[in-house]
Amino acid sequence: MPNVFQPDFRVPQTPGGPLAPHPLAAPEAPFSNPAITTADTHDYFTEVADDYRAWSPSYNMHFGFWRLGLNPLRREVMLVEMNRAVGRALKLDESGEPRLAQEASQRRRCVIDLGCGAGATARTLVGDDPSLYAVTVTNVAVQNSIAARLDARAGVADRMAHIEADYTRTGLPAAQADGAWAVESACYANGTAKADFVREAARLLKPGARLAVVDGFLLRRQPGRSAGWLHRLWADSWAVPTLAVQDDFVAALRDNGFEDIEVQSLRWRVAPSALHIPALATRFALVELWKARGRLSPWRRKHIVASYCALVLGIFWRDFDYCIVTAKRSG
């Protein structure tokens, strides 16, 4: 793959392969499921890769961001707006002097999507800003194949690089990224603090560069009985070890050299897109069951179950929130 970013920003081959166990993996929380492995996550996303097209033709594998002026019935518009909300959170053009801000907007800047799915967020941001180049990281080969096709269709293939690797040890060079994000992917790291994920993000970012994480978070280490059961059903169905506990995640950011940490609830911003789930999931399930003569594979069945659970989790306000967490790598 050609190097389109910086002279030393090379696409690596991760030692041990993308599914090799991490020797410093964080301990699991009491309510997490240690039986969920990286291999399970890989199998899940490989098996249901095409199913995400029902949610978004552009493979936006996340909830949407609603704001005034957007039609809440147009899901794809809200999904793309979430991508742009991530871009705004990175503050790539932020500078104290107009001259420096103008220079920053004219030079090449590299951003990294940690757990990219099919690269939809990167594709949106690169398409909006000709100065951006994006590296996306996933351990699922089929997602990179889908991403490459969509990149070509969008006309941004020359500014996108997709690598197959574990996002907690990418092998990419340190302190070269102008921004990084994880949209509904940090939850797949181990433990309630997601410390391995945070450590790698800190290593990749330049001093002063920002990380943006959009995800669901547990608000208590020990959720209520109903919320805990629902969280476990949702997580097992989407091959997630556990959601992060918000306080643990923020502490991991501080411990790894991040500052200016901000947590913003997006509960009401994502609600309009979440309300698309019942009709879409029901129609999808009926159509796919008919096509498969009632014999959907286990991960495809679980994918449908998790879709309903994701909506219901939102009613447990004391135990769960959907947030964007932003932080700046200290100098």
Side-chain angles (χ1 to χ4, degrees):
M1 181 178 293
N3 175 22
V4 295
F5 307 107
Q6 298 184 29
D8 58 348
F9 211 117
R10 303 184 186 280
V11 176
Q13 295 295 322
T14 304
L19 300 181
H22 196 298
L24 300 176
E28 295 293 344
F31 51 86
S32 70
N33 185 356
I36 297 294
T37 66
T38 309
D40 291 322
T41 303
H42 175 273
D43 291 345
Y44 162 72
F45 278 111
T46 299
E47 199 165 307
V48 305
D50 288 336
D51 292 350
Y52 276 97
R53 184 168 49 189
W55 176 254
S56 167
S58 300
Y59 282 85
N60 288 286
M61 298 163 62
H62 50 73
F63 285 114
F65 183 100
W66 179 85
R67 60 171 173 77
L68 194 63
L70 296 185
N71 184 343
L73 300 179
R74 297 184 62 191
R75 184 172 62 254
E76 191 72 13
V77 172
M78 293 187 289
L79 299 178
V80 172
E81 186 61 23
M82 179 64 83
N83 299 336
R84 291 181 172 137
V86 169
R88 292 191 294 270
L90 297 179
K91 300 182 180 179
L92 293 170
D93 295 325
E94 187 178 81
S95 174
E97 297 182 29
R99 179 183 61 82
L100 295 178
Q102 183 177 9
E103 289 177 357
S105 67
Q106 292 173 348
R107 66 180 175 86
R108 288 183 174 184
R109 296 173 295 179
C110 180
V111 292
I112 301 179
D113 187 335
L114 297 167
C116 60
T121 302
R123 212 162 19 253
T124 296
L125 300 186
V126 166
D128 287 349
D129 186 344
S131 75
L132 285 187
Y133 292 76
V135 176
T136 73
V137 183
T138 176
N139 64 4
V140 184
V142 67
Q143 292 182 335
N144 283 340
S145 298
I146 294 169
R149 294 198 302 269
L150 295 175
D151 293 349
R153 189 182 306 169
V156 297
D158 60 333
R159 291 186 289 124
M160 299 275 283
H162 306 289
I163 68 171
E164 185 180 343
D166 180 341
Y167 68 4
T168 67
R169 51 192 185 110
T170 63
L172 292 166
Q176 295 295 308
D178 295 284
W181 66 85
V183 179
E184 297 186 17
S185 58
C187 57
Y188 285 95
N190 287 327
T192 58
K194 311 302 179 185
D196 290 342
F197 163 84
V198 172
R199 187 180 303 114
E200 180 67 356
R203 188 186 71 82
L204 293 171
L205 288 168
K206 295 176 179 178
R210 290 182 177 272
L211 172 69
V213 175
V214 175
D215 219 327
F217 289 87
L218 292 171
L219 301 180
R220 300 190 290 175
R221 287 193 59 80
Q222 295 295 339
R225 176 178 294 182
S226 296
W229 175 84
L230 188 63
H231 164 262
R232 188 66 272 141
L233 176 62
W234 169 86
D236 288 348
S237 298
W238 264 344
V240 174
T242 177
L243 284 173
V245 173
Q246 190 177 100
D247 288 345
D248 294 352
F249 186 74
V250 169
L253 289 170
R254 291 198 186 99
D255 291 344
N256 284 278
F258 284 97
E259 59 188 18
D260 294 344
I261 301 168
E262 297 183 5
V263 180
Q264 179 185 0
S265 174
L266 300 182
R267 187 190 306 275
W268 295 110
R269 297 291 188 179
V270 302
S273 64
L275 291 174
H276 286 238
I277 290 175
L280 177 69
T282 301
R283 183 172 65 251
F284 175 83
L286 292 174
V287 170
E288 295 303 313
L289 283 167
W290 176 265
K291 288 163 58 177
R293 299 179 182 272
R295 297 180 180 178
L296 289 182
S297 65
W299 280 124
R300 295 190 75 200
R301 291 198 304 270
K302 290 180 179 181
H303 177 69
I304 296 169
V305 170
S307 299
Y308 289 109
C309 291
L311 177 62
V312 181
L313 267 175
I315 70 175
F316 290 91
W317 287 21
R318 292 182 59 198
D319 298 292
F320 173 82
D321 200 0
Y322 189 94
C323 304
I324 181 168
V325 180
T326 57
K328 184 172 71 173
R329 185 72 173 97
S330 59

mmCIF file of all heavy atoms in Angstrom, residues 191-233:
data_model
loop_
_atom_site.group_PDB
_atom_site.id
_atom_site.type_symbol
_atom_site.label_atom_id
_atom_site.label_comp_id
_atom_site.label_asym_id
_atom_site.label_seq_id
_atom_site.Cartn_x
_atom_site.Cartn_y
_atom_site.Cartn_z
ATOM 1 N N GLY A 191 -12.274 -4.817 29.858
ATOM 2 C CA GLY A 191 -12.395 -4.104 31.122
ATOM 3 C C GLY A 191 -13.321 -2.917 31.079
ATOM 4 O O GLY A 191 -13.749 -2.461 30.019
ATOM 5 N N THR A 192 -13.639 -2.384 32.237
ATOM 6 C CA THR A 192 -14.549 -1.244 32.326
ATOM 7 C C THR A 192 -13.847 0.083 32.077
ATOM 8 O O THR A 192 -14.511 1.094 31.865
ATOM 9 C CB THR A 192 -15.226 -1.195 33.707
ATOM 10 O OG1 THR A 192 -14.212 -1.113 34.721
ATOM 11 C CG2 THR A 192 -16.071 -2.437 33.944
ATOM 12 N N ALA A 193 -12.520 0.110 32.122
ATOM 13 C CA ALA A 193 -11.775 1.335 31.843
ATOM 14 C C ALA A 193 -11.312 1.403 30.394
ATOM 15 O O ALA A 193 -10.911 2.470 29.923
ATOM 16 C CB ALA A 193 -10.566 1.445 32.767
ATOM 17 N N LYS A 194 -11.310 0.260 29.689
ATOM 18 C CA LYS A 194 -10.802 0.171 28.309
ATOM 19 C C LYS A 194 -9.375 0.733 28.236
ATOM 20 O O LYS A 194 -9.001 1.457 27.315
ATOM 21 C CB LYS A 194 -11.723 0.922 27.334
ATOM 22 C CG LYS A 194 -13.210 0.564 27.484
ATOM 23 C CD LYS A 194 -13.456 -0.922 27.279
ATOM 24 C CE LYS A 194 -14.917 -1.289 27.442
ATOM 25 N NZ LYS A 194 -15.171 -2.740 27.354
ATOM 26 N N ALA A 195 -8.573 0.364 29.244
ATOM 27 C CA ALA A 195 -7.249 0.966 29.402
ATOM 28 C C ALA A 195 -6.322 0.656 28.233
ATOM 29 O O ALA A 195 -5.516 1.516 27.834
ATOM 30 C CB ALA A 195 -6.622 0.500 30.722
ATOM 31 N N ASP A 196 -6.400 -0.547 27.664
ATOM 32 C CA ASP A 196 -5.532 -0.883 26.530
ATOM 33 C C ASP A 196 -5.840 -0.006 25.323
ATOM 34 O O ASP A 196 -4.933 0.436 24.618
ATOM 35 C CB ASP A 196 -5.691 -2.354 26.149
ATOM 36 C CG ASP A 196 -5.115 -3.294 27.197
ATOM 37 O OD1 ASP A 196 -4.318 -2.822 28.027
ATOM 38 O OD2 ASP A 196 -5.463 -4.487 27.176
ATOM 39 N N PHE A 197 -7.130 0.234 25.097
ATOM 40 C CA PHE A 197 -7.546 1.122 24.008
ATOM 41 C C PHE A 197 -7.031 2.541 24.254
ATOM 42 O O PHE A 197 -6.467 3.180 23.352
ATOM 43 C CB PHE A 197 -9.067 1.116 23.878
ATOM 44 C CG PHE A 197 -9.616 2.271 23.098
ATOM 45 C CD1 PHE A 197 -9.678 2.226 21.723
ATOM 46 C CD2 PHE A 197 -10.049 3.417 23.757
ATOM 47 C CE1 PHE A 197 -10.154 3.309 20.995
ATOM 48 C CE2 PHE A 197 -10.537 4.500 23.039
ATOM 49 C CZ PHE A 197 -10.591 4.441 21.653
ATOM 50 N N VAL A 198 -7.230 3.052 25.452
ATOM 51 C CA VAL A 198 -6.817 4.424 25.775
ATOM 52 C C VAL A 198 -5.305 4.572 25.655
ATOM 53 O O VAL A 198 -4.801 5.572 25.128
ATOM 54 C CB VAL A 198 -7.297 4.804 27.193
ATOM 55 C CG1 VAL A 198 -6.721 6.155 27.620
ATOM 56 C CG2 VAL A 198 -8.820 4.828 27.261
ATOM 57 N N ARG A 199 -4.572 3.568 26.118
ATOM 58 C CA ARG A 199 -3.104 3.626 26.062
ATOM 59 C C ARG A 199 -2.617 3.725 24.618
ATOM 60 O O ARG A 199 -1.716 4.507 24.309
ATOM 61 C CB ARG A 199 -2.527 2.388 26.733
ATOM 62 C CG ARG A 199 -1.008 2.397 26.902
ATOM 63 C CD ARG A 199 -0.523 1.124 27.579
ATOM 64 N NE ARG A 199 -1.172 0.941 28.876
ATOM 65 C CZ ARG A 199 -2.014 -0.049 29.156
ATOM 66 N NH1 ARG A 199 -2.314 -0.942 28.242
ATOM 67 N NH2 ARG A 199 -2.556 -0.141 30.353
ATOM 68 N N GLU A 200 -3.209 2.951 23.725
ATOM 69 C CA GLU A 200 -2.783 2.987 22.332
ATOM 70 C C GLU A 200 -3.173 4.308 21.675
ATOM 71 O O GLU A 200 -2.392 4.869 20.892
ATOM 72 C CB GLU A 200 -3.384 1.815 21.561
ATOM 73 C CG GLU A 200 -3.010 1.751 20.096
ATOM 74 C CD GLU A 200 -1.532 1.454 19.841
ATOM 75 O OE1 GLU A 200 -0.747 1.373 20.815
ATOM 76 O OE2 GLU A 200 -1.152 1.302 18.661
ATOM 77 N N ALA A 201 -4.359 4.823 21.987
ATOM 78 C CA ALA A 201 -4.752 6.117 21.442
ATOM 79 C C ALA A 201 -3.782 7.207 21.879
ATOM 80 O O ALA A 201 -3.379 8.066 21.082
ATOM 81 C CB ALA A 201 -6.179 6.459 21.891
ATOM 82 N N ALA A 202 -3.387 7.180 23.144
ATOM 83 C CA ALA A 202 -2.431 8.168 23.647
ATOM 84 C C ALA A 202 -1.095 8.050 22.926
ATOM 85 O O ALA A 202 -0.438 9.055 22.622
ATOM 86 C CB ALA A 202 -2.240 7.988 25.145
ATOM 87 N N ARG A 203 -0.662 6.844 22.652
ATOM 88 C CA ARG A 203 0.619 6.640 21.967
ATOM 89 C C ARG A 203 0.590 7.176 20.545
ATOM 90 O O ARG A 203 1.575 7.740 20.050
ATOM 91 C CB ARG A 203 0.942 5.139 21.940
ATOM 92 C CG ARG A 203 2.329 4.793 21.424
ATOM 93 C CD ARG A 203 2.531 3.300 21.284
ATOM 94 N NE ARG A 203 1.768 2.756 20.171
ATOM 95 C CZ ARG A 203 2.162 2.787 18.900
ATOM 96 N NH1 ARG A 203 3.313 3.361 18.573
ATOM 97 N NH2 ARG A 203 1.419 2.264 17.949
ATOM 98 N N LEU A 204 -0.537 7.052 19.873
ATOM 99 C CA LEU A 204 -0.633 7.429 18.471
ATOM 100 C C LEU A 204 -0.751 8.934 18.253
ATOM 101 O O LEU A 204 -0.311 9.452 17.226
ATOM 102 C CB LEU A 204 -1.845 6.742 17.834
ATOM 103 C CG LEU A 204 -1.777 5.216 17.708
ATOM 104 C CD1 LEU A 204 -3.129 4.666 17.275
ATOM 105 C CD2 LEU A 204 -0.700 4.794 16.727
ATOM 106 N N LEU A 205 -1.331 9.646 19.206
ATOM 107 C CA LEU A 205 -1.647 11.058 19.004
ATOM 108 C C LEU A 205 -0.442 11.964 19.241
ATOM 109 O O LEU A 205 0.368 11.735 20.138
ATOM 110 C CB LEU A 205 -2.775 11.481 19.943
ATOM 111 C CG LEU A 205 -4.165 10.954 19.597
ATOM 112 C CD1 LEU A 205 -5.128 11.201 20.753
ATOM 113 C CD2 LEU A 205 -4.692 11.597 18.318
ATOM 114 N N LYS A 206 -0.365 13.016 18.445
ATOM 115 C CA LYS A 206 0.610 14.072 18.694
ATOM 116 C C LYS A 206 0.229 14.827 19.972
ATOM 117 O O LYS A 206 -0.959 14.885 20.329
ATOM 118 C CB LYS A 206 0.616 15.072 17.539
ATOM 119 C CG LYS A 206 1.087 14.535 16.205
ATOM 120 C CD LYS A 206 0.950 15.609 15.128
ATOM 121 C CE LYS A 206 1.422 15.133 13.773
ATOM 122 N NZ LYS A 206 1.237 16.171 12.733
ATOM 123 N N PRO A 207 1.187 15.427 20.659
ATOM 124 C CA PRO A 207 0.829 16.301 21.775
ATOM 125 C C PRO A 207 -0.129 17.401 21.312
ATOM 126 O O PRO A 207 0.093 18.033 20.282
ATOM 127 C CB PRO A 207 2.177 16.883 22.208
ATOM 128 C CG PRO A 207 3.178 15.867 21.765
ATOM 129 C CD PRO A 207 2.649 15.302 20.486
ATOM 130 N N GLY A 208 -1.191 17.596 22.059
ATOM 131 C CA GLY A 208 -2.186 18.602 21.709
ATOM 132 C C GLY A 208 -3.295 18.092 20.815
ATOM 133 O O GLY A 208 -4.300 18.783 20.631
ATOM 134 N N ALA A 209 -3.151 16.897 20.238
ATOM 135 C CA ALA A 209 -4.198 16.326 19.387
ATOM 136 C C ALA A 209 -5.295 15.714 20.257
ATOM 137 O O ALA A 209 -5.075 15.379 21.427
ATOM 138 C CB ALA A 209 -3.615 15.269 18.453
ATOM 139 N N ARG A 210 -6.468 15.560 19.650
ATOM 140 C CA ARG A 210 -7.632 15.151 20.429
ATOM 141 C C ARG A 210 -8.133 13.763 20.055
ATOM 142 O O ARG A 210 -8.021 13.321 18.913
ATOM 143 C CB ARG A 210 -8.775 16.157 20.257
ATOM 144 C CG ARG A 210 -8.490 17.497 20.917
ATOM 145 C CD ARG A 210 -9.641 18.466 20.798
ATOM 146 N NE ARG A 210 -9.342 19.707 21.501
ATOM 147 C CZ ARG A 210 -9.590 19.921 22.783
ATOM 148 N NH1 ARG A 210 -10.180 18.972 23.507
ATOM 149 N NH2 ARG A 210 -9.277 21.066 23.348
ATOM 150 N N LEU A 211 -8.725 13.125 21.071
ATOM 151 C CA LEU A 211 -9.426 11.852 20.925
ATOM 152 C C LEU A 211 -10.907 12.101 21.168
ATOM 153 O O LEU A 211 -11.285 12.829 22.088
ATOM 154 C CB LEU A 211 -8.899 10.847 21.954
ATOM 155 C CG LEU A 211 -9.656 9.516 22.081
ATOM 156 C CD1 LEU A 211 -9.461 8.659 20.830
ATOM 157 C CD2 LEU A 211 -9.195 8.763 23.332
ATOM 158 N N ALA A 212 -11.767 11.505 20.324
ATOM 159 C CA ALA A 212 -13.216 11.565 20.519
ATOM 160 C C ALA A 212 -13.759 10.144 20.544
ATOM 161 O O ALA A 212 -13.469 9.353 19.641
ATOM 162 C CB ALA A 212 -13.877 12.368 19.401
ATOM 163 N N VAL A 213 -14.515 9.831 21.581
ATOM 164 C CA VAL A 213 -15.104 8.496 21.738
ATOM 165 C C VAL A 213 -16.611 8.648 21.880
ATOM 166 O O VAL A 213 -17.092 9.332 22.788
ATOM 167 C CB VAL A 213 -14.523 7.770 22.971
ATOM 168 C CG1 VAL A 213 -15.235 6.434 23.189
ATOM 169 C CG2 VAL A 213 -13.030 7.549 22.799
ATOM 170 N N VAL A 214 -17.332 8.041 20.963
ATOM 171 C CA VAL A 214 -18.789 8.033 21.008
ATOM 172 C C VAL A 214 -19.228 6.602 21.320
ATOM 173 O O VAL A 214 -18.877 5.673 20.586
ATOM 174 C CB VAL A 214 -19.400 8.488 19.668
ATOM 175 C CG1 VAL A 214 -20.923 8.366 19.696
ATOM 176 C CG2 VAL A 214 -18.975 9.911 19.345
ATOM 177 N N ASP A 215 -19.976 6.437 22.418
ATOM 178 C CA ASP A 215 -20.318 5.061 22.822
ATOM 179 C C ASP A 215 -21.351 5.097 23.936
ATOM 180 O O ASP A 215 -21.632 6.160 24.509
ATOM 181 C CB ASP A 215 -19.060 4.330 23.316
ATOM 182 C CG ASP A 215 -19.022 2.870 22.862
ATOM 183 O OD1 ASP A 215 -20.100 2.251 22.754
ATOM 184 O OD2 ASP A 215 -17.911 2.369 22.593
ATOM 185 N N GLY A 216 -21.868 3.909 24.236
ATOM 186 C CA GLY A 216 -22.672 3.749 25.433
ATOM 187 C C GLY A 216 -21.761 3.550 26.635
ATOM 188 O O GLY A 216 -20.689 2.947 26.517
ATOM 189 N N PHE A 217 -22.191 4.047 27.793
ATOM 190 C CA PHE A 217 -21.409 3.921 29.020
ATOM 191 C C PHE A 217 -22.323 3.500 30.163
ATOM 192 O O PHE A 217 -23.463 3.970 30.276
ATOM 193 C CB PHE A 217 -20.744 5.247 29.394
ATOM 194 C CG PHE A 217 -19.622 5.640 28.489
ATOM 195 C CD1 PHE A 217 -19.872 6.358 27.325
ATOM 196 C CD2 PHE A 217 -18.318 5.288 28.781
ATOM 197 C CE1 PHE A 217 -18.838 6.719 26.475
ATOM 198 C CE2 PHE A 217 -17.274 5.655 27.939
ATOM 199 C CZ PHE A 217 -17.533 6.367 26.785
ATOM 200 N N LEU A 218 -21.808 2.627 31.018
ATOM 201 C CA LEU A 218 -22.471 2.340 32.282
ATOM 202 C C LEU A 218 -22.136 3.460 33.260
ATOM 203 O O LEU A 218 -20.994 3.930 33.311
ATOM 204 C CB LEU A 218 -22.000 0.994 32.837
ATOM 205 C CG LEU A 218 -22.423 -0.239 32.033
ATOM 206 C CD1 LEU A 218 -21.705 -1.478 32.552
ATOM 207 C CD2 LEU A 218 -23.926 -0.437 32.072
ATOM 208 N N LEU A 219 -23.116 3.867 34.034
ATOM 209 C CA LEU A 219 -22.909 4.948 34.993
ATOM 210 C C LEU A 219 -22.583 4.434 36.383
ATOM 211 O O LEU A 219 -22.199 5.218 37.257
ATOM 212 C CB LEU A 219 -24.158 5.831 35.043
ATOM 213 C CG LEU A 219 -24.552 6.467 33.702
ATOM 214 C CD1 LEU A 219 -25.804 7.332 33.877
ATOM 215 C CD2 LEU A 219 -23.412 7.284 33.111
ATOM 216 N N ARG A 220 -22.753 3.123 36.597
ATOM 217 C CA ARG A 220 -22.425 2.523 37.897
ATOM 218 C C ARG A 220 -21.685 1.219 37.651
ATOM 219 O O ARG A 220 -21.973 0.501 36.694
ATOM 220 C CB ARG A 220 -23.704 2.243 38.704
ATOM 221 C CG ARG A 220 -24.530 3.479 39.009
ATOM 222 C CD ARG A 220 -25.623 3.166 40.008
ATOM 223 N NE ARG A 220 -26.683 2.326 39.447
ATOM 224 C CZ ARG A 220 -27.707 1.844 40.167
ATOM 225 N NH1 ARG A 220 -27.768 2.084 41.465
ATOM 226 N NH2 ARG A 220 -28.633 1.107 39.595
ATOM 227 N N ARG A 221 -20.768 0.888 38.544
ATOM 228 C CA ARG A 221 -20.042 -0.378 38.410
ATOM 229 C C ARG A 221 -20.965 -1.567 38.615
ATOM 230 O O ARG A 221 -20.743 -2.639 38.044
ATOM 231 C CB ARG A 221 -18.878 -0.443 39.407
ATOM 232 C CG ARG A 221 -17.705 0.458 39.038
ATOM 233 C CD ARG A 221 -16.473 0.117 39.854
ATOM 234 N NE ARG A 221 -16.049 -1.270 39.676
ATOM 235 C CZ ARG A 221 -15.336 -1.708 38.638
ATOM 236 N NH1 ARG A 221 -14.985 -0.861 37.692
ATOM 237 N NH2 ARG A 221 -14.991 -2.973 38.546
ATOM 238 N N GLN A 222 -21.974 -1.397 39.433
ATOM 239 C CA GLN A 222 -22.945 -2.471 39.654
ATOM 240 C C GLN A 222 -24.331 -1.958 39.279
ATOM 241 O O GLN A 222 -25.024 -1.355 40.095
ATOM 242 C CB GLN A 222 -22.920 -2.917 41.122
ATOM 243 C CG GLN A 222 -21.612 -3.549 41.558
ATOM 244 C CD GLN A 222 -21.345 -4.867 40.830
ATOM 245 O OE1 GLN A 222 -22.246 -5.504 40.309
ATOM 246 N NE2 GLN A 222 -20.084 -5.276 40.799
ATOM 247 N N PRO A 223 -24.754 -2.158 38.028
ATOM 248 C CA PRO A 223 -26.072 -1.693 37.614
ATOM 249 C C PRO A 223 -27.180 -2.413 38.379
ATOM 250 O O PRO A 223 -26.952 -3.465 39.000
ATOM 251 C CB PRO A 223 -26.133 -2.061 36.124
ATOM 252 C CG PRO A 223 -24.737 -2.401 35.733
ATOM 253 C CD PRO A 223 -24.040 -2.852 36.964
ATOM 254 N N GLY A 224 -28.382 -1.835 38.350
ATOM 255 C CA GLY A 224 -29.534 -2.508 38.913
ATOM 256 C C GLY A 224 -29.766 -3.855 38.241
ATOM 257 O O GLY A 224 -29.244 -4.129 37.160
ATOM 258 N N ARG A 225 -30.571 -4.691 38.877
ATOM 259 C CA ARG A 225 -30.739 -6.055 38.380
ATOM 260 C C ARG A 225 -31.246 -6.086 36.943
ATOM 261 O O ARG A 225 -30.688 -6.791 36.099
ATOM 262 C CB ARG A 225 -31.696 -6.836 39.285
ATOM 263 C CG ARG A 225 -31.997 -8.234 38.772
ATOM 264 C CD ARG A 225 -32.908 -9.002 39.701
ATOM 265 N NE ARG A 225 -32.267 -9.269 40.982
ATOM 266 C CZ ARG A 225 -32.845 -9.965 41.960
ATOM 267 N NH1 ARG A 225 -34.068 -10.435 41.800
ATOM 268 N NH2 ARG A 225 -32.199 -10.183 43.101
ATOM 269 N N SER A 226 -32.285 -5.326 36.637
ATOM 270 C CA SER A 226 -32.856 -5.351 35.290
ATOM 271 C C SER A 226 -31.883 -4.772 34.267
ATOM 272 O O SER A 226 -31.682 -5.339 33.186
ATOM 273 C CB SER A 226 -34.175 -4.572 35.251
ATOM 274 O OG SER A 226 -35.142 -5.181 36.067
ATOM 275 N N ALA A 227 -31.270 -3.643 34.635
ATOM 276 C CA ALA A 227 -30.315 -3.028 33.716
ATOM 277 C C ALA A 227 -29.100 -3.927 33.506
ATOM 278 O O ALA A 227 -28.577 -4.046 32.393
ATOM 279 C CB ALA A 227 -29.878 -1.664 34.248
ATOM 280 N N GLY A 228 -28.642 -4.569 34.574
ATOM 281 C CA GLY A 228 -27.499 -5.461 34.454
ATOM 282 C C GLY A 228 -27.798 -6.661 33.573
ATOM 283 O O GLY A 228 -26.966 -7.065 32.748
ATOM 284 N N TRP A 229 -28.994 -7.232 33.731
ATOM 285 C CA TRP A 229 -29.384 -8.369 32.888
ATOM 286 C C TRP A 229 -29.488 -7.949 31.426
ATOM 287 O O TRP A 229 -29.018 -8.652 30.530
ATOM 288 C CB TRP A 229 -30.717 -8.926 33.365
ATOM 289 C CG TRP A 229 -31.253 -10.022 32.489
ATOM 290 C CD1 TRP A 229 -30.942 -11.346 32.541
ATOM 291 C CD2 TRP A 229 -32.181 -9.870 31.405
ATOM 292 N NE1 TRP A 229 -31.616 -12.043 31.560
ATOM 293 C CE2 TRP A 229 -32.380 -11.161 30.844
ATOM 294 C CE3 TRP A 229 -32.853 -8.776 30.857
ATOM 295 C CZ2 TRP A 229 -33.228 -11.372 29.764
ATOM 296 C CZ3 TRP A 229 -33.698 -8.998 29.785
ATOM 297 C CH2 TRP A 229 -33.877 -10.276 29.247
ATOM 298 N N LEU A 230 -30.093 -6.785 31.190
ATOM 299 C CA LEU A 230 -30.258 -6.314 29.810
ATOM 300 C C LEU A 230 -28.901 -5.980 29.186
ATOM 301 O O LEU A 230 -28.655 -6.293 28.010
ATOM 302 C CB LEU A 230 -31.173 -5.088 29.789
ATOM 303 C CG LEU A 230 -31.591 -4.603 28.409
ATOM 304 C CD1 LEU A 230 -32.413 -5.663 27.690
ATOM 305 C CD2 LEU A 230 -32.384 -3.299 28.521
ATOM 306 N N HIS A 231 -28.034 -5.353 29.968
ATOM 307 C CA HIS A 231 -26.687 -5.067 29.472
ATOM 308 C C HIS A 231 -25.970 -6.349 29.070
ATOM 309 O O HIS A 231 -25.323 -6.417 28.023
ATOM 310 C CB HIS A 231 -25.877 -4.334 30.545
ATOM 311 C CG HIS A 231 -24.401 -4.333 30.308
ATOM 312 N ND1 HIS A 231 -23.543 -5.223 30.921
ATOM 313 C CD2 HIS A 231 -23.611 -3.567 29.509
ATOM 314 C CE1 HIS A 231 -22.305 -5.010 30.515
ATOM 315 N NE2 HIS A 231 -22.315 -4.012 29.664
ATOM 316 N N ARG A 232 -26.092 -7.391 29.893
ATOM 317 C CA ARG A 232 -25.414 -8.651 29.595
ATOM 318 C C ARG A 232 -25.980 -9.295 28.331
ATOM 319 O O ARG A 232 -25.231 -9.813 27.494
ATOM 320 C CB ARG A 232 -25.563 -9.593 30.789
ATOM 321 C CG ARG A 232 -24.778 -10.860 30.735
ATOM 322 C CD ARG A 232 -23.275 -10.622 30.797
ATOM 323 N NE ARG A 232 -22.684 -10.400 29.490
ATOM 324 C CZ ARG A 232 -21.724 -9.520 29.237
ATOM 325 N NH1 ARG A 232 -21.246 -8.755 30.180
ATOM 326 N NH2 ARG A 232 -21.245 -9.369 28.026
ATOM 327 N N LEU A 233 -27.321 -9.263 28.171
ATOM 328 C CA LEU A 233 -27.945 -9.827 26.977
ATOM 329 C C LEU A 233 -27.504 -9.062 25.736
ATOM 330 O O LEU A 233 -27.145 -9.658 24.707
ATOM 331 C CB LEU A 233 -29.469 -9.790 27.107
ATOM 332 C CG LEU A 233 -30.273 -10.264 25.885
ATOM 333 C CD1 LEU A 233 -29.975 -11.725 25.568
ATOM 334 C CD2 LEU A 233 -31.769 -10.047 26.120
#
